[in-house]
Amino acid sequence: MELMKNQETVLVVDDDHQASSMMTDLVISCGFQCVAVNCKDAAMNIIEKRRFDIVIADIETMDGLHLISDVRKIQSDVPFVVVTGYGNGFTYESIVTAGANDFIKKPFTPAELNSKLYRILKERRMAFDNSQLLAKQVAANKKIANLLEIALDLTAEVEFANLFPLIISRVTKIMNAERTSLYLIDWERNEIWTTVAEKIEHFSLPIGEGISGLVAKTGETVNSADAWELPYFKREFDLQQNFRSKAVLCMPINNRSGERIAVIQVINKQGGGVFNVDDENLLKSLSSQMAIAIENAQLVDELELSFESSIRTLSATVDARHRLTAGHSERVTEYSLMIARNMGLGPEEEELIKYAGLLHDIGKIGTKDSVLLKSGRFTPEERMEMERHAVKTKEILDNFHFSKTLAQVPFIASHHHEHFDGRGYPDKLRGEDIPLCARILAVADVFDALTSARDYLKYTDTETMSCDPMPLPKVINILKNGADNQFDPAAVAAFLGCMADALLKYRGEHFPPSYVDEMIEILRKA
Ligand SMILES: [Fe+2]
Ligand SMILES: [Fe+2]
């Protein structure tokens, strides 16, 4: 059998100097490196310091069987060959049971030894190759599982604002990178832009500039060991952030039609090194999922924008039926959102308030012109007709298709005239039976009515009531006095806390600048 020339090292343990020397020569002649020791302690000492590919020990002259178990405590997988003489009482079974891989009886020929060493090393290499293959398979399975998990996560996220950080965090993790940036390509504006990039502020770049801009322009992947060596890399980004970009992998993201819609860039492998072909393939397989997720989120974003603009237009149209109520619903919405934020409500409540605020008076669409536009005191019947707009709001909005998260909009919008003490309309709800968002709308609604020019004569018995906006101190008194009876005191308190912002928001637009400045001075002193 042809000997394998290799670098494997055999440890020979034998206290007989002559036998040890012969065995060493034989092992070397078989093509192996060899280290020889003459006792168990020496064997244990050296095996703690370096790895061996085979241990050959004579068990006639020393406690070989114990040596096997001691060696295995340190190198559990090292093959162990026992050398025995005739008539020593050891059987093949007893030696194998003690943990040896094989044994060889003295005297033996070089060919016998060579054959055994060859077979043992072949088995060892096969076992090693199998474990490598298994490790590769496990890693591949893990990668596929990670990819599937990312794909599911990305597909489930349709909120554009959440998608950026989600993609960035997932890609950074799976690519084992230090940083990731995602840029969307705006072909009309000839720029790439990002809303969130890990540890980088929002910015845009002209297409063609920097690594990402170049990838956007050419569609070619850039994979470099050192970004600073690339002539088009913008070092100023690194210098501003005291960061050193080394390995960079930047790739285009194409949609199903093959159009470039984004660019993904990963920087610096954790622990150093370059991004290899496997990394490129991994990022490429992720890019199609990213493309789908980005386009879905963009579509949802556009649908939401389209829905919101339709609602705003409808709301403004209803307000515009009377010159004195133009912009009313828009302002009520803004004031309500300010109150909600001051009360610590979350984005879901803000969405409800936005649509309920814009649509709260949509029921006026069904109010007769003779009532809505009347300039003068209402008769009791006209007043009832006017108040009916709350019920009509509900009837109209019940025909809208709202998403699950906005399902409460009709109920909230139609209860903006309920009073905290149960004396409002249309259902005389009281306290917390009135939805919190409706209690907030009620405060904002009255504030806007009082601070706008209105036909108060319709609602009062006095002929001397002015149509001018009410002075702010008087408005504040009405809100404060109304807390606990007409209004939720928490909503009033929250509004008083952000009233200056409300005035500033419409300074020069709805409120004369001098009025706002004067009122803010009053609020400051209060
Ligand atoms: Fe109303
Ligand atoms: Fe209103």
Side-chain angles (χ1 to χ4, degrees), residues 9-200:
T9 307
V10 176
L11 175 66
V12 170
V13 187
D14 197 327
D15 64 350
D16 182 315
H17 178 70
Q18 199 179 352
S20 172
S21 179
M22 268 180 58
M23 179 65 85
T24 302
D25 289 346
L26 276 174
V27 167
I28 290 170
S29 73
C30 288
F32 301 102
Q33 295 183 36
C34 187
V35 174
V37 292
N38 61 2
C39 66
K40 182 183 172 185
D41 288 346
M44 294 312 297
N45 193 31
I46 197 163
I47 216 150
E48 279 177 358
K49 291 181 182 136
R50 57 178 288 192
R51 286 191 65 80
F52 289 93
D53 297 291
I54 297 182
V55 177
I56 301 176
D58 190 319
I59 63 166
E60 281 183 309
T61 54
M62 57 196 311
D63 188 2
L65 293 184
H66 284 153
L67 180 62
I68 298 172
S69 57
D70 288 347
V71 164
R72 286 277 158 70
K73 282 176 193 162
I74 299 167
Q75 288 187 26
S76 61
D77 59 341
V78 65
F80 205 108
V81 178
V82 167
V83 180
T84 67
Y86 282 112
N88 58 12
F90 288 111
T91 60
Y92 177 80
E93 286 73 23
S94 65
I95 290 170
V96 170
T97 304
N101 297 66
D102 207 342
F103 78 110
I104 185 163
K105 278 188 176 172
K106 290 189 281 190
F108 53 84
T109 64
E112 275 181 274
L113 179 68
N114 181 37
S115 167
K116 283 205 184 288
L117 295 182
Y118 177 84
R119 184 185 58 72
I120 288 171
L121 284 175
K122 192 177 172 189
E123 284 172 5
R124 183 172 159 79
R125 282 176 185 160
M126 277 174 68
F128 179 75
D129 289 348
N130 285 343
S131 68
Q132 291 285 94
L133 278 174
L134 185 66
K136 271 189 185 171
Q137 190 60 47
V138 168
N141 287 348
K142 197 175 169 193
K143 206 176 269 183
I144 291 169
N146 282 339
L147 280 172
L148 277 173
E149 192 188 327
I150 293 175
L152 285 173
D153 282 356
L154 295 189
T155 315
E157 184 54 73
V158 291
E159 282 293 331
F160 204 52
N162 298 336
L163 189 62
F164 263 80
L166 183 68
I167 288 178
I168 286 167
S169 67
R170 292 290 195 276
V171 169
T172 303
K173 192 174 170 196
I174 200 168
M175 295 299 292
N176 204 20
E178 285 183 7
R179 283 187 177 183
T180 299
S181 300
L182 172 68
Y183 301 89
L184 295 196
I185 303 174
D186 187 334
W187 292 107
E188 279 181 20
R189 299 174 73 155
N190 197 41
E191 66 177 25
I192 57 170
W193 62 274
T194 181
T195 56
V196 184
E198 255 179 27
K199 300 169 192 169
I200 296 177

Side-chain angles (χ1 to χ4, degrees), residues 144-427:
I144 291 169
N146 282 339
L147 280 172
L148 277 173
E149 192 188 327
I150 293 175
L152 285 173
D153 282 356
L154 295 189
T155 315
E157 184 54 73
V158 291
E159 282 293 331
F160 204 52
N162 298 336
L163 189 62
F164 263 80
L166 183 68
I167 288 178
I168 286 167
S169 67
R170 292 290 195 276
V171 169
T172 303
K173 192 174 170 196
I174 200 168
M175 295 299 292
N176 204 20
E178 285 183 7
R179 283 187 177 183
T180 299
S181 300
L182 172 68
Y183 301 89
L184 295 196
I185 303 174
D186 187 334
W187 292 107
E188 279 181 20
R189 299 174 73 155
N190 197 41
E191 66 177 25
I192 57 170
W193 62 274
T194 181
T195 56
V196 184
E198 255 179 27
K199 300 169 192 169
I200 296 177
E201 297 296 318
H202 166 97
F203 70 91
S204 60
L205 270 177
I207 288 176
E209 273 195 25
I211 296 178
S212 300
L214 190 78
V215 170
K217 184 179 179 182
T218 63
E220 300 289 331
T221 294
V222 169
N223 188 358
S224 169
D226 191 348
W228 282 41
E229 297 296 314
L230 301 174
Y232 38 83
F233 178 72
K234 289 184 166 290
R235 291 188 185 189
E236 55 263 37
F237 292 153
D238 273 8
L239 296 171
Q240 280 164 13
Q241 299 167 60
N242 200 20
F243 183 76
R244 175 65 165 92
S245 297
K246 290 280 287 181
V248 60
L249 174 59
C250 190
M251 193 175 275
I253 295 176
N254 299 334
N255 66 11
R256 278 162 288 187
S257 313
E259 296 158 350
R260 281 194 294 289
I261 59 168
V263 171
I264 186 90
Q265 175 177 278
V266 286
I267 293 178
N268 292 1
K269 259 192 157 182
Q270 295 275 0
V274 296
F275 293 103
N276 56 28
V277 178
D278 285 345
D279 294 319
E280 279 191 32
N281 289 337
L282 180 60
L283 194 56
K284 201 168 185 181
S285 50
L286 269 175
S287 72
S288 54
Q289 293 301 329
M290 289 189 267
I292 292 168
I294 289 168
E295 288 206 313
N296 282 349
Q298 280 175 328
L299 193 62
V300 169
D301 211 40
E302 279 170 22
L303 282 174
E304 280 176 357
L305 274 177
S306 164
F307 178 66
E308 187 179 325
S309 68
S310 303
I311 297 294
R312 284 189 188 278
T313 305
L314 185 61
S315 161
T317 307
V318 175
D319 285 348
R321 280 189 67 203
H322 195 305
R323 65 183 174 84
L324 294 178
T325 57
H328 165 70
S329 299
E330 187 80 39
R331 289 191 300 276
V332 167
T333 304
E334 287 303 321
Y335 299 152
S336 300
L337 287 172
M338 288 177 183
I339 298 171
R341 284 175 203 132
N342 220 13
M343 292 176 83
L345 301 192
E348 284 187 10
E349 283 97 345
E350 284 189 24
E351 279 295 286
L352 282 170
I353 282 177
K354 182 169 80 181
Y355 289 108
L358 288 170
L359 295 166
H360 75 281
D361 277 338
I362 196 174
K364 286 183 181 172
I365 216 166
T367 307
K368 293 176 199 159
D369 278 358
S370 58
V371 176
L372 190 76
L373 307 178
K374 181 173 180 179
S375 182
R377 197 176 306 141
F378 278 148
T379 64
E381 292 73 26
E382 287 168 336
R383 190 171 181 134
M384 271 178 65
E385 163 73 7
M386 192 64 194
E387 289 182 355
R388 215 170 285 137
H389 79 274
V391 174
K392 284 179 184 160
T393 288
K394 175 90 168 49
E395 288 170 359
I396 292 168
L397 294 186
D398 276 344
N399 289 313
F400 273 57
H401 175 74
F402 287 105
S403 63
K404 247 186 198 175
T405 51
L406 295 177
Q408 284 294 304
V409 166
F411 191 72
I412 294 168
S414 59
H415 288 93
H416 66 278
H417 284 296
E418 298 289 359
H419 287 189
F420 205 58
D421 60 7
R423 288 199 269 182
Y425 63 91
D427 294 324

